Amino acid sequence: NAGVTQTPKFQVLKTGQSMTLQCAQDMNHEYMSWYRQDPGMGLRLIHYSVGAGITDQGEVPNGYNVSRSTTEDFPLRLLSAAPSQTSVYFCASSPRRVNGELFFGEGSRLTVL
Amino acid sequence: AQKITQTQPGMFVQEKEAVTLDCTYDTSDPSYGLFWYKQPSSGEMIFLIYQGSYDQQNATEGRYSLNFQKARKSANLVISASQLGDSAMYFCAMRGPTGNQFYFGTGTSLTVIP
């Protein structure tokens, strides 16, 4: 029962470095998304995808890129990390319907120095 | 515009008592879904309960029930017979008719007191 797998779980970066957070799901879900969680701000949507080759911006997309080449994978790229991107990141997937619950990965804690 | 509002940053409840966590939402779509998630201190997100906008009855899942008042645009979570393991952050969320975006509230931290 893999579900949604996120890697790495922890990462420390220096300002200006780049990295990719990996996300994979094995439930054949059309919808995949990335959130960041900051204290007192809940979960904010960064980017989402409704299928392979289709991505769109959420509430806080600046500084992040995504791609969706397969149904299973939805990586999140930080091209030039900034301290403001220090956060906990969650990948989530679901069937694309109004009653489809989100299935979350375990989260990735990113610190940018 | 903020879609989900949770006005209680922190709540305390005595063990075995019931507690209500508030959630209001804002949408002009007639079709939407409302969700509650639990996040314990270990960090994972756990789905608790779902309510559809067209559902006539309030959703229930074990000790969890959703008090859905459509006209007031509220979807409060009721936890009955609180247990120490219920201590966690609780997030209310809404999904629109296209299923493209989930909106989350800022969460309520619940502490169950023995």
Side-chain angles (χ1 to χ4, degrees):
Chain A
N1 290 351
V4 179
T5 303
Q6 265 182 259
T7 56
K9 288 187 169 50
F10 300 94
Q11 183 73 48
V12 179
L13 290 177
K14 294 181 180 178
T15 297
Q17 287 185 320
S18 63
M19 77 157 299
T20 299
L21 295 173
Q22 302 289 347
C23 177
Q25 53 95 7
D26 61 359
M27 296 170 282
N28 201 32
H29 287 161
E30 304 148 286
Y31 182 87
M32 295 187 74
S33 54
W34 278 101
Y35 292 85
R36 60 178 289 172
Q37 182 178 19
D38 302 291
M41 303 192 76
L43 281 79
R44 293 182 292 168
L45 180 64
I46 304 171
H47 285 284
Y48 67 94
S49 168
V50 298
I54 306 170
T55 64
D56 206 346
Q57 297 180 351
E59 303 169 73
V60 288
N62 293 341
Y64 307 96
N65 281 350
V66 292
S67 59
R68 184 100 179 263
S69 56
T70 67
T71 300
E72 293 79 19
D73 300 301
F74 191 47
L76 179 72
R77 296 183 185 85
L78 286 71
L79 297 179
S80 179
S84 61
Q85 294 178 303
T86 293
S87 188
V88 178
Y89 292 84
F90 285 96
C91 179
S93 74
S94 84
R96 190 188 168 199
R97 57 176 188 262
V98 68
N99 65 347
E101 71 189 77
L102 278 175
F103 292 79
F104 283 85
E106 293 181 335
S108 300
R109 183 174 294 276
L110 174 67
T111 302
V112 183
L113 303 175
Chain B
Q2 189 172 5
K3 300 280 189 175
I4 296 284
T5 302
Q6 294 181 254
T7 57
Q8 305 156 313
M11 291 278 289
F12 292 87
V13 64
Q14 206 74 34
E15 193 178 6
K16 300 180 185 177
E17 297 293 314
V19 63
T20 298
L21 307 184
D22 294 341
C23 173
T24 58
Y25 59 91
D26 180 25
T27 182
S28 56
D29 293 315
S31 175
Y32 51 88
L34 297 159
F35 302 78
W36 277 91
Y37 285 84
K38 173 184 179 181
Q39 186 180 41
S41 58
S42 51
E44 72 268 31
M45 296 289 288
I46 302 167
F47 166 71
L48 295 178
I49 195 167
Y50 165 80
Q51 179 84 43
S53 60
Y54 292 120
D55 293 343
Q56 295 296 312
Q57 291 189 325
N58 288 342
T60 61
E61 288 287 348
R63 294 186 299 111
Y64 304 108
S65 61
L66 202 153
N67 184 1
F68 181 46
Q69 298 187 42
K70 194 170 183 177
R72 297 181 61 185
K73 294 188 176 179
S74 75
N76 298 339
L77 177 71
V78 180
I79 306 174
S80 63
S82 296
Q83 302 172 355
L84 296 178
D86 294 334
S87 294
M89 282 290 290
Y90 288 83
F91 291 98
C92 180
M94 180 178 69
R95 188 169 201 176
T98 64
N100 285 356
Q101 295 206 22
F102 260 88
Y103 299 97
F104 282 82
T106 52
T108 296
S109 176
L110 177 67
T111 302
V112 180
I113 303 167

mmCIF file of all heavy atoms in Angstrom, chain A residues 31 35 37 40-43 45 48 50 57 90 94-102 104 106, chain B residues 31-33 35 37 39 43 45 47 50 91 95-106:
data_model
loop_
_atom_site.group_PDB
_atom_site.id
_atom_site.type_symbol
_atom_site.label_atom_id
_atom_site.label_comp_id
_atom_site.label_asym_id
_atom_site.label_seq_id
_atom_site.Cartn_x
_atom_site.Cartn_y
_atom_site.Cartn_z
ATOM 1 N N TYR A 31 -5.714 13.682 -10.427
ATOM 2 C CA TYR A 31 -5.389 14.949 -9.794
ATOM 3 C C TYR A 31 -4.205 14.780 -8.857
ATOM 4 O O TYR A 31 -4.198 13.878 -8.012
ATOM 5 C CB TYR A 31 -6.608 15.445 -9.000
ATOM 6 C CG TYR A 31 -6.422 16.780 -8.314
ATOM 7 C CD1 TYR A 31 -6.678 17.970 -8.983
ATOM 8 C CD2 TYR A 31 -6.021 16.844 -6.988
ATOM 9 C CE1 TYR A 31 -6.531 19.193 -8.356
ATOM 10 C CE2 TYR A 31 -5.862 18.061 -6.365
ATOM 11 C CZ TYR A 31 -6.122 19.236 -7.043
ATOM 12 O OH TYR A 31 -5.966 20.438 -6.426
ATOM 13 N N TYR A 35 1.292 21.335 -1.796
ATOM 14 C CA TYR A 35 0.936 22.335 -0.812
ATOM 15 C C TYR A 35 2.168 22.661 0.018
ATOM 16 O O TYR A 35 3.053 21.835 0.206
ATOM 17 C CB TYR A 35 -0.146 21.811 0.139
ATOM 18 C CG TYR A 35 -1.485 21.612 -0.509
ATOM 19 C CD1 TYR A 35 -1.797 20.442 -1.186
ATOM 20 C CD2 TYR A 35 -2.449 22.615 -0.448
ATOM 21 C CE1 TYR A 35 -3.019 20.261 -1.776
ATOM 22 C CE2 TYR A 35 -3.689 22.443 -1.040
ATOM 23 C CZ TYR A 35 -3.959 21.269 -1.702
ATOM 24 O OH TYR A 35 -5.180 21.095 -2.299
ATOM 25 N N GLN A 37 2.915 24.122 3.982
ATOM 26 C CA GLN A 37 2.278 24.367 5.265
ATOM 27 C C GLN A 37 3.197 25.211 6.119
ATOM 28 O O GLN A 37 4.325 24.807 6.413
ATOM 29 C CB GLN A 37 1.951 23.062 5.992
ATOM 30 C CG GLN A 37 1.230 23.288 7.307
ATOM 31 C CD GLN A 37 0.851 22.007 8.012
ATOM 32 O OE1 GLN A 37 1.388 20.944 7.753
ATOM 33 N NE2 GLN A 37 -0.109 22.098 8.916
ATOM 34 N N GLY A 40 0.259 28.765 11.298
ATOM 35 C CA GLY A 40 -0.805 29.759 11.304
ATOM 36 C C GLY A 40 -1.431 30.039 9.953
ATOM 37 O O GLY A 40 -2.345 30.865 9.849
ATOM 38 N N MET A 41 -0.958 29.351 8.906
ATOM 39 C CA MET A 41 -1.464 29.652 7.561
ATOM 40 C C MET A 41 -2.124 28.462 6.890
ATOM 41 O O MET A 41 -2.521 28.540 5.734
ATOM 42 C CB MET A 41 -0.341 30.201 6.693
ATOM 43 C CG MET A 41 0.315 31.440 7.285
ATOM 44 S SD MET A 41 1.384 32.314 6.161
ATOM 45 C CE MET A 41 0.172 33.116 5.137
ATOM 46 N N GLY A 42 -2.216 27.385 7.559
ATOM 47 C CA GLY A 42 -2.861 26.216 6.967
ATOM 48 C C GLY A 42 -2.057 25.666 5.805
ATOM 49 O O GLY A 42 -0.829 25.832 5.737
ATOM 50 N N LEU A 43 -2.739 25.027 4.887
ATOM 51 C CA LEU A 43 -2.097 24.485 3.685
ATOM 52 C C LEU A 43 -2.450 25.383 2.510
ATOM 53 O O LEU A 43 -3.629 25.658 2.267
ATOM 54 C CB LEU A 43 -2.569 23.061 3.400
ATOM 55 C CG LEU A 43 -1.939 21.953 4.235
ATOM 56 C CD1 LEU A 43 -2.567 21.869 5.606
ATOM 57 C CD2 LEU A 43 -2.054 20.619 3.514
ATOM 58 N N LEU A 45 -2.069 25.993 -1.613
ATOM 59 C CA LEU A 45 -1.832 25.266 -2.853
ATOM 60 C C LEU A 45 -0.779 25.974 -3.698
ATOM 61 O O LEU A 45 -0.900 27.167 -3.983
ATOM 62 C CB LEU A 45 -3.147 25.150 -3.634
ATOM 63 C CG LEU A 45 -3.109 24.414 -4.960
ATOM 64 C CD1 LEU A 45 -2.755 22.946 -4.755
ATOM 65 C CD2 LEU A 45 -4.475 24.527 -5.657
ATOM 66 N N TYR A 48 -1.019 22.468 -9.219
ATOM 67 C CA TYR A 48 -1.770 21.231 -9.316
ATOM 68 C C TYR A 48 -1.796 20.757 -10.754
ATOM 69 O O TYR A 48 -1.452 21.505 -11.683
ATOM 70 C CB TYR A 48 -3.192 21.393 -8.760
ATOM 71 C CG TYR A 48 -4.082 22.314 -9.549
ATOM 72 C CD1 TYR A 48 -4.937 21.812 -10.539
ATOM 73 C CD2 TYR A 48 -4.098 23.684 -9.299
ATOM 74 C CE1 TYR A 48 -5.761 22.650 -11.257
ATOM 75 C CE2 TYR A 48 -4.931 24.519 -10.012
ATOM 76 C CZ TYR A 48 -5.759 24.012 -10.975
ATOM 77 O OH TYR A 48 -6.575 24.855 -11.691
ATOM 78 N N VAL A 50 -4.218 18.075 -13.431
ATOM 79 C CA VAL A 50 -5.409 17.239 -13.596
ATOM 80 C C VAL A 50 -5.166 16.092 -14.558
ATOM 81 O O VAL A 50 -6.103 15.393 -14.942
ATOM 82 C CB VAL A 50 -6.628 18.069 -14.023
ATOM 83 C CG1 VAL A 50 -6.974 19.101 -12.951
ATOM 84 C CG2 VAL A 50 -6.392 18.750 -15.368
ATOM 85 N N GLN A 57 -1.423 26.784 -11.874
ATOM 86 C CA GLN A 57 -0.952 27.429 -10.660
ATOM 87 C C GLN A 57 -2.027 27.431 -9.589
ATOM 88 O O GLN A 57 -3.223 27.526 -9.879
ATOM 89 C CB GLN A 57 -0.548 28.874 -10.971
ATOM 90 C CG GLN A 57 0.607 28.989 -11.934
ATOM 91 C CD GLN A 57 0.974 30.445 -12.217
ATOM 92 O OE1 GLN A 57 0.259 31.365 -11.830
ATOM 93 N NE2 GLN A 57 2.080 30.652 -12.888
ATOM 94 N N PHE A 90 3.730 19.247 1.177
ATOM 95 C CA PHE A 90 2.936 18.034 1.031
ATOM 96 C C PHE A 90 2.536 17.860 -0.426
ATOM 97 O O PHE A 90 2.055 18.798 -1.068
ATOM 98 C CB PHE A 90 1.665 18.100 1.870
ATOM 99 C CG PHE A 90 1.886 17.896 3.339
ATOM 100 C CD1 PHE A 90 2.011 18.991 4.178
ATOM 101 C CD2 PHE A 90 1.952 16.624 3.877
ATOM 102 C CE1 PHE A 90 2.209 18.819 5.537
ATOM 103 C CE2 PHE A 90 2.160 16.434 5.230
ATOM 104 C CZ PHE A 90 2.284 17.540 6.063
ATOM 105 N N SER A 94 -5.718 12.686 -5.756
ATOM 106 C CA SER A 94 -7.100 12.261 -5.568
ATOM 107 C C SER A 94 -7.743 11.978 -6.917
ATOM 108 O O SER A 94 -7.241 12.435 -7.960
ATOM 109 C CB SER A 94 -7.901 13.340 -4.835
ATOM 110 O OG SER A 94 -8.382 14.314 -5.742
ATOM 111 N N PRO A 95 -8.859 11.257 -6.896
ATOM 112 C CA PRO A 95 -9.690 11.221 -8.099
ATOM 113 C C PRO A 95 -10.189 12.637 -8.364
ATOM 114 O O PRO A 95 -10.370 13.437 -7.435
ATOM 115 C CB PRO A 95 -10.856 10.307 -7.704
ATOM 116 C CG PRO A 95 -10.400 9.601 -6.486
ATOM 117 C CD PRO A 95 -9.427 10.491 -5.794
ATOM 118 N N ARG A 96 -10.401 12.948 -9.616
ATOM 119 C CA ARG A 96 -10.821 14.305 -9.946
ATOM 120 C C ARG A 96 -12.345 14.389 -9.955
ATOM 121 O O ARG A 96 -12.986 14.354 -10.995
ATOM 122 C CB ARG A 96 -10.252 14.724 -11.301
ATOM 123 C CG ARG A 96 -10.442 16.195 -11.576
ATOM 124 C CD ARG A 96 -10.042 16.535 -12.990
ATOM 125 N NE ARG A 96 -10.474 17.869 -13.353
ATOM 126 C CZ ARG A 96 -10.595 18.296 -14.597
ATOM 127 N NH1 ARG A 96 -10.330 17.485 -15.596
ATOM 128 N NH2 ARG A 96 -10.970 19.523 -14.852
ATOM 129 N N ARG A 97 -12.899 14.476 -8.774
ATOM 130 C CA ARG A 97 -14.333 14.664 -8.628
ATOM 131 C C ARG A 97 -14.571 15.384 -7.314
ATOM 132 O O ARG A 97 -13.723 15.347 -6.422
ATOM 133 C CB ARG A 97 -15.081 13.331 -8.666
ATOM 134 C CG ARG A 97 -14.642 12.340 -7.625
ATOM 135 C CD ARG A 97 -15.480 11.080 -7.654
ATOM 136 N NE ARG A 97 -15.171 10.225 -6.519
ATOM 137 C CZ ARG A 97 -14.347 9.193 -6.572
ATOM 138 N NH1 ARG A 97 -13.752 8.892 -7.715
ATOM 139 N NH2 ARG A 97 -14.107 8.471 -5.504
ATOM 140 N N VAL A 98 -15.738 15.993 -7.171
ATOM 141 C CA VAL A 98 -15.971 16.885 -6.039
ATOM 142 C C VAL A 98 -15.917 16.139 -4.713
ATOM 143 O O VAL A 98 -15.561 16.710 -3.678
ATOM 144 C CB VAL A 98 -17.311 17.634 -6.206
ATOM 145 C CG1 VAL A 98 -18.482 16.685 -6.081
ATOM 146 C CG2 VAL A 98 -17.422 18.781 -5.229
ATOM 147 N N ASN A 99 -16.251 14.839 -4.724
ATOM 148 C CA ASN A 99 -16.211 14.088 -3.467
ATOM 149 C C ASN A 99 -14.934 13.280 -3.310
ATOM 150 O O ASN A 99 -14.847 12.426 -2.423
ATOM 151 C CB ASN A 99 -17.433 13.163 -3.357
ATOM 152 C CG ASN A 99 -17.429 12.083 -4.418
ATOM 153 O OD1 ASN A 99 -16.660 12.151 -5.380
ATOM 154 N ND2 ASN A 99 -18.266 11.091 -4.255
ATOM 155 N N GLY A 100 -13.955 13.557 -4.145
ATOM 156 C CA GLY A 100 -12.688 12.825 -4.052
ATOM 157 C C GLY A 100 -11.818 13.375 -2.942
ATOM 158 O O GLY A 100 -11.374 14.525 -3.003
ATOM 159 N N GLU A 101 -11.542 12.565 -1.947
ATOM 160 C CA GLU A 101 -10.677 13.013 -0.859
ATOM 161 C C GLU A 101 -9.234 13.048 -1.338
ATOM 162 O O GLU A 101 -8.828 12.289 -2.220
ATOM 163 C CB GLU A 101 -10.787 12.059 0.328
ATOM 164 C CG GLU A 101 -10.129 10.707 0.054
ATOM 165 C CD GLU A 101 -10.392 9.671 1.098
ATOM 166 O OE1 GLU A 101 -11.511 9.128 1.089
ATOM 167 O OE2 GLU A 101 -9.477 9.397 1.880
ATOM 168 N N LEU A 102 -8.464 13.942 -0.731
ATOM 169 C CA LEU A 102 -7.041 14.015 -1.022
ATOM 170 C C LEU A 102 -6.299 12.963 -0.205
ATOM 171 O O LEU A 102 -6.546 12.805 0.985
ATOM 172 C CB LEU A 102 -6.490 15.387 -0.652
ATOM 173 C CG LEU A 102 -6.657 16.534 -1.637
ATOM 174 C CD1 LEU A 102 -6.145 17.813 -1.020
ATOM 175 C CD2 LEU A 102 -5.954 16.249 -2.948
ATOM 176 N N PHE A 104 -2.562 12.170 1.040
ATOM 177 C CA PHE A 104 -1.347 12.942 1.231
ATOM 178 C C PHE A 104 -0.112 12.063 1.361
ATOM 179 O O PHE A 104 -0.174 10.952 1.909
ATOM 180 C CB PHE A 104 -1.450 13.785 2.508
ATOM 181 C CG PHE A 104 -2.302 15.008 2.367
ATOM 182 C CD1 PHE A 104 -3.672 14.944 2.536
ATOM 183 C CD2 PHE A 104 -1.725 16.225 2.058
ATOM 184 C CE1 PHE A 104 -4.466 16.069 2.414
ATOM 185 C CE2 PHE A 104 -2.493 17.364 1.931
ATOM 186 C CZ PHE A 104 -3.865 17.284 2.117
ATOM 187 N N GLU A 106 3.786 11.945 3.137
ATOM 188 C CA GLU A 106 4.156 12.150 4.541
ATOM 189 C C GLU A 106 4.732 13.533 4.800
ATOM 190 O O GLU A 106 4.937 13.910 5.947
ATOM 191 C CB GLU A 106 5.149 11.077 4.972
ATOM 192 C CG GLU A 106 4.558 9.684 5.001
ATOM 193 C CD GLU A 106 5.556 8.642 5.461
ATOM 194 O OE1 GLU A 106 6.781 8.867 5.310
ATOM 195 O OE2 GLU A 106 5.123 7.598 5.978
ATOM 196 N N SER B 31 -22.449 23.212 -6.360
ATOM 197 C CA SER B 31 -21.883 21.892 -6.112
ATOM 198 C C SER B 31 -20.494 22.033 -5.514
ATOM 199 O O SER B 31 -19.615 22.663 -6.111
ATOM 200 C CB SER B 31 -21.813 21.099 -7.423
ATOM 201 O OG SER B 31 -21.158 19.859 -7.217
ATOM 202 N N TYR B 32 -20.297 21.460 -4.356
ATOM 203 C CA TYR B 32 -18.988 21.506 -3.710
ATOM 204 C C TYR B 32 -18.919 20.396 -2.679
ATOM 205 O O TYR B 32 -19.928 19.793 -2.305
ATOM 206 C CB TYR B 32 -18.726 22.877 -3.049
ATOM 207 C CG TYR B 32 -19.825 23.355 -2.150
ATOM 208 C CD1 TYR B 32 -19.852 23.015 -0.796
ATOM 209 C CD2 TYR B 32 -20.859 24.143 -2.643
ATOM 210 C CE1 TYR B 32 -20.879 23.444 0.024
ATOM 211 C CE2 TYR B 32 -21.890 24.581 -1.832
ATOM 212 C CZ TYR B 32 -21.886 24.236 -0.504
ATOM 213 O OH TYR B 32 -22.902 24.664 0.312
ATOM 214 N N GLY B 33 -17.710 20.129 -2.238
ATOM 215 C CA GLY B 33 -17.499 19.123 -1.211
ATOM 216 C C GLY B 33 -16.761 19.723 -0.037
ATOM 217 O O GLY B 33 -15.905 20.592 -0.208
ATOM 218 N N PHE B 35 -14.573 18.796 3.528
ATOM 219 C CA PHE B 35 -13.759 17.741 4.103
ATOM 220 C C PHE B 35 -13.160 18.217 5.429
ATOM 221 O O PHE B 35 -12.887 19.401 5.607
ATOM 222 C CB PHE B 35 -12.587 17.385 3.166
ATOM 223 C CG PHE B 35 -12.993 16.939 1.793
ATOM 224 C CD1 PHE B 35 -13.397 17.865 0.831
ATOM 225 C CD2 PHE B 35 -12.946 15.606 1.438
ATOM 226 C CE1 PHE B 35 -13.759 17.463 -0.445
ATOM 227 C CE2 PHE B 35 -13.300 15.193 0.161
ATOM 228 C CZ PHE B 35 -13.707 16.121 -0.773
ATOM 229 N N TYR B 37 -9.803 17.125 7.898
ATOM 230 C CA TYR B 37 -8.586 16.340 8.052
ATOM 231 C C TYR B 37 -8.009 16.565 9.444
ATOM 232 O O TYR B 37 -8.134 17.647 10.015
ATOM 233 C CB TYR B 37 -7.530 16.758 7.011
ATOM 234 C CG TYR B 37 -7.812 16.256 5.620
ATOM 235 C CD1 TYR B 37 -8.669 16.948 4.770
ATOM 236 C CD2 TYR B 37 -7.230 15.086 5.152
ATOM 237 C CE1 TYR B 37 -8.930 16.479 3.496
ATOM 238 C CE2 TYR B 37 -7.481 14.617 3.875
ATOM 239 C CZ TYR B 37 -8.337 15.317 3.058
ATOM 240 O OH TYR B 37 -8.595 14.852 1.795
ATOM 241 N N GLN B 39 -4.402 16.323 11.668
ATOM 242 C CA GLN B 39 -2.942 16.258 11.571
ATOM 243 C C GLN B 39 -2.359 16.113 12.982
ATOM 244 O O GLN B 39 -2.228 17.090 13.712
ATOM 245 C CB GLN B 39 -2.366 17.497 10.889
ATOM 246 C CG GLN B 39 -0.865 17.386 10.640
ATOM 247 C CD GLN B 39 -0.279 18.604 9.953
ATOM 248 O OE1 GLN B 39 -0.630 19.735 10.273
ATOM 249 N NE2 GLN B 39 0.607 18.378 8.998
ATOM 250 N N GLY B 43 2.633 14.632 12.051
ATOM 251 C CA GLY B 43 2.674 15.380 10.801
ATOM 252 C C GLY B 43 1.845 14.865 9.642
ATOM 253 O O GLY B 43 1.616 15.611 8.697
ATOM 254 N N MET B 45 -1.345 13.755 7.339
ATOM 255 C CA MET B 45 -2.708 14.265 7.144
ATOM 256 C C MET B 45 -3.653 13.077 7.025
ATOM 257 O O MET B 45 -3.484 12.237 6.148
ATOM 258 C CB MET B 45 -2.785 15.124 5.886
ATOM 259 C CG MET B 45 -1.941 16.381 5.959
ATOM 260 S SD MET B 45 -2.598 17.587 7.095
ATOM 261 C CE MET B 45 -4.028 18.160 6.186
ATOM 262 N N PHE B 47 -7.595 11.852 6.585
ATOM 263 C CA PHE B 47 -8.966 12.204 6.202
ATOM 264 C C PHE B 47 -9.950 11.689 7.240
ATOM 265 O O PHE B 47 -9.864 10.539 7.674
ATOM 266 C CB PHE B 47 -9.272 11.606 4.830
ATOM 267 C CG PHE B 47 -10.723 11.611 4.471
ATOM 268 C CD1 PHE B 47 -11.362 12.806 4.175
ATOM 269 C CD2 PHE B 47 -11.458 10.449 4.450
ATOM 270 C CE1 PHE B 47 -12.701 12.826 3.841
ATOM 271 C CE2 PHE B 47 -12.799 10.451 4.121
ATOM 272 C CZ PHE B 47 -13.420 11.645 3.820
ATOM 273 N N TYR B 50 -16.469 13.533 5.058
ATOM 274 C CA TYR B 50 -16.835 14.290 3.865
ATOM 275 C C TYR B 50 -18.332 14.608 3.881
ATOM 276 O O TYR B 50 -19.151 13.778 4.312
ATOM 277 C CB TYR B 50 -16.515 13.464 2.617
ATOM 278 C CG TYR B 50 -17.180 13.991 1.363
ATOM 279 C CD1 TYR B 50 -16.633 15.076 0.679
ATOM 280 C CD2 TYR B 50 -18.368 13.437 0.881
ATOM 281 C CE1 TYR B 50 -17.244 15.569 -0.461
ATOM 282 C CE2 TYR B 50 -18.984 13.938 -0.256
ATOM 283 C CZ TYR B 50 -18.410 15.002 -0.914
ATOM 284 O OH TYR B 50 -19.013 15.500 -2.044
ATOM 285 N N PHE B 91 -8.125 20.427 10.185
ATOM 286 C CA PHE B 91 -8.287 21.330 9.050
ATOM 287 C C PHE B 91 -9.596 21.050 8.330
ATOM 288 O O PHE B 91 -9.925 19.905 8.027
ATOM 289 C CB PHE B 91 -7.143 21.155 8.047
ATOM 290 C CG PHE B 91 -5.813 21.629 8.553
ATOM 291 C CD1 PHE B 91 -4.905 20.738 9.090
ATOM 292 C CD2 PHE B 91 -5.472 22.977 8.493
ATOM 293 C CE1 PHE B 91 -3.675 21.158 9.556
ATOM 294 C CE2 PHE B 91 -4.243 23.409 8.955
ATOM 295 C CZ PHE B 91 -3.353 22.505 9.495
ATOM 296 N N ARG B 95 -13.772 21.642 -1.722
ATOM 297 C CA ARG B 95 -13.410 21.360 -3.111
ATOM 298 C C ARG B 95 -14.546 21.810 -4.004
ATOM 299 O O ARG B 95 -15.712 21.532 -3.721
ATOM 300 C CB ARG B 95 -13.153 19.867 -3.296
ATOM 301 C CG ARG B 95 -12.584 19.509 -4.650
ATOM 302 C CD ARG B 95 -12.113 18.086 -4.681
ATOM 303 N NE ARG B 95 -11.137 17.882 -5.758
ATOM 304 C CZ ARG B 95 -10.496 16.757 -5.971
ATOM 305 N NH1 ARG B 95 -10.716 15.708 -5.201
ATOM 306 N NH2 ARG B 95 -9.625 16.669 -6.961
ATOM 307 N N GLY B 96 -14.192 22.503 -5.085
ATOM 308 C CA GLY B 96 -15.193 23.032 -5.978
ATOM 309 C C GLY B 96 -15.690 22.009 -6.980
ATOM 310 O O GLY B 96 -15.214 20.882 -7.022
ATOM 311 N N PRO B 97 -16.641 22.395 -7.844
ATOM 312 C CA PRO B 97 -17.311 21.439 -8.736
ATOM 313 C C PRO B 97 -16.404 20.822 -9.782
ATOM 314 O O PRO B 97 -16.640 19.700 -10.218
ATOM 315 C CB PRO B 97 -18.419 22.278 -9.391
ATOM 316 C CG PRO B 97 -17.958 23.683 -9.271
ATOM 317 C CD PRO B 97 -17.189 23.754 -7.990
ATOM 318 N N THR B 98 -15.376 21.542 -10.205
ATOM 319 C CA THR B 98 -14.473 20.962 -11.202
ATOM 320 C C THR B 98 -13.484 20.009 -10.564
ATOM 321 O O THR B 98 -12.815 19.250 -11.266
ATOM 322 C CB THR B 98 -13.663 22.059 -11.919
ATOM 323 O OG1 THR B 98 -12.814 22.708 -10.967
ATOM 324 C CG2 THR B 98 -14.588 23.076 -12.572
ATOM 325 N N GLY B 99 -13.370 20.056 -9.251
ATOM 326 C CA GLY B 99 -12.419 19.202 -8.555
ATOM 327 C C GLY B 99 -10.992 19.665 -8.701
ATOM 328 O O GLY B 99 -10.061 18.955 -8.332
ATOM 329 N N ASN B 100 -10.792 20.867 -9.241
ATOM 330 C CA ASN B 100 -9.435 21.319 -9.534
ATOM 331 C C ASN B 100 -8.688 21.902 -8.343
ATOM 332 O O ASN B 100 -7.468 21.869 -8.315
ATOM 333 C CB ASN B 100 -9.456 22.355 -10.655
ATOM 334 C CG ASN B 100 -9.686 21.708 -12.006
ATOM 335 O OD1 ASN B 100 -9.766 20.494 -12.107
ATOM 336 N ND2 ASN B 100 -9.820 22.515 -13.024
ATOM 337 N N GLN B 101 -9.415 22.500 -7.425
ATOM 338 C CA GLN B 101 -8.709 23.141 -6.321
ATOM 339 C C GLN B 101 -9.366 22.798 -4.990
ATOM 340 O O GLN B 101 -10.586 22.818 -4.866
ATOM 341 C CB GLN B 101 -8.678 24.659 -6.492
ATOM 342 C CG GLN B 101 -7.877 25.107 -7.698
ATOM 343 C CD GLN B 101 -7.321 26.506 -7.539
ATOM 344 O OE1 GLN B 101 -7.167 27.004 -6.433
ATOM 345 N NE2 GLN B 101 -7.004 27.153 -8.637
ATOM 346 N N PHE B 102 -8.498 22.471 -4.038
ATOM 347 C CA PHE B 102 -8.904 22.326 -2.653
ATOM 348 C C PHE B 102 -8.502 23.592 -1.921
ATOM 349 O O PHE B 102 -7.387 24.085 -2.108
ATOM 350 C CB PHE B 102 -8.131 21.165 -2.005
ATOM 351 C CG PHE B 102 -8.881 19.885 -1.897
ATOM 352 C CD1 PHE B 102 -8.863 18.976 -2.935
ATOM 353 C CD2 PHE B 102 -9.563 19.565 -0.740
ATOM 354 C CE1 PHE B 102 -9.539 17.771 -2.825
ATOM 355 C CE2 PHE B 102 -10.230 18.357 -0.621
ATOM 356 C CZ PHE B 102 -10.218 17.457 -1.660
ATOM 357 N N TYR B 103 -9.382 24.103 -1.075
ATOM 358 C CA TYR B 103 -9.039 25.228 -0.224
ATOM 359 C C TYR B 103 -9.075 24.759 1.224
ATOM 360 O O TYR B 103 -10.041 24.134 1.643
ATOM 361 C CB TYR B 103 -10.034 26.369 -0.415
ATOM 362 C CG TYR B 103 -10.069 26.909 -1.818
ATOM 363 C CD1 TYR B 103 -11.041 26.480 -2.720
ATOM 364 C CD2 TYR B 103 -9.136 27.840 -2.250
ATOM 365 C CE1 TYR B 103 -11.080 26.969 -4.014
ATOM 366 C CE2 TYR B 103 -9.176 28.338 -3.542
ATOM 367 C CZ TYR B 103 -10.143 27.899 -4.415
ATOM 368 O OH TYR B 103 -10.173 28.373 -5.693
ATOM 369 N N PHE B 104 -8.014 25.084 1.957
ATOM 370 C CA PHE B 104 -7.912 24.690 3.355
ATOM 371 C C PHE B 104 -8.040 25.897 4.272
ATOM 372 O O PHE B 104 -7.615 27.002 3.920
ATOM 373 C CB PHE B 104 -6.566 24.011 3.625
ATOM 374 C CG PHE B 104 -6.502 22.585 3.158
ATOM 375 C CD1 PHE B 104 -6.226 22.279 1.839
ATOM 376 C CD2 PHE B 104 -6.731 21.547 4.049
ATOM 377 C CE1 PHE B 104 -6.179 20.962 1.407
ATOM 378 C CE2 PHE B 104 -6.681 20.226 3.622
ATOM 379 C CZ PHE B 104 -6.409 19.935 2.304
ATOM 380 N N GLY B 105 -8.610 25.664 5.437
ATOM 381 C CA GLY B 105 -8.582 26.672 6.480
ATOM 382 C C GLY B 105 -7.241 26.675 7.192
ATOM 383 O O GLY B 105 -6.360 25.861 6.893
ATOM 384 N N THR B 106 -7.102 27.572 8.152
ATOM 385 C CA THR B 106 -5.840 27.712 8.862
ATOM 386 C C THR B 106 -5.683 26.709 10.003
ATOM 387 O O THR B 106 -4.623 26.616 10.606
ATOM 388 C CB THR B 106 -5.684 29.129 9.420
ATOM 389 O OG1 THR B 106 -6.861 29.455 10.163
ATOM 390 C CG2 THR B 106 -5.498 30.149 8.297
#
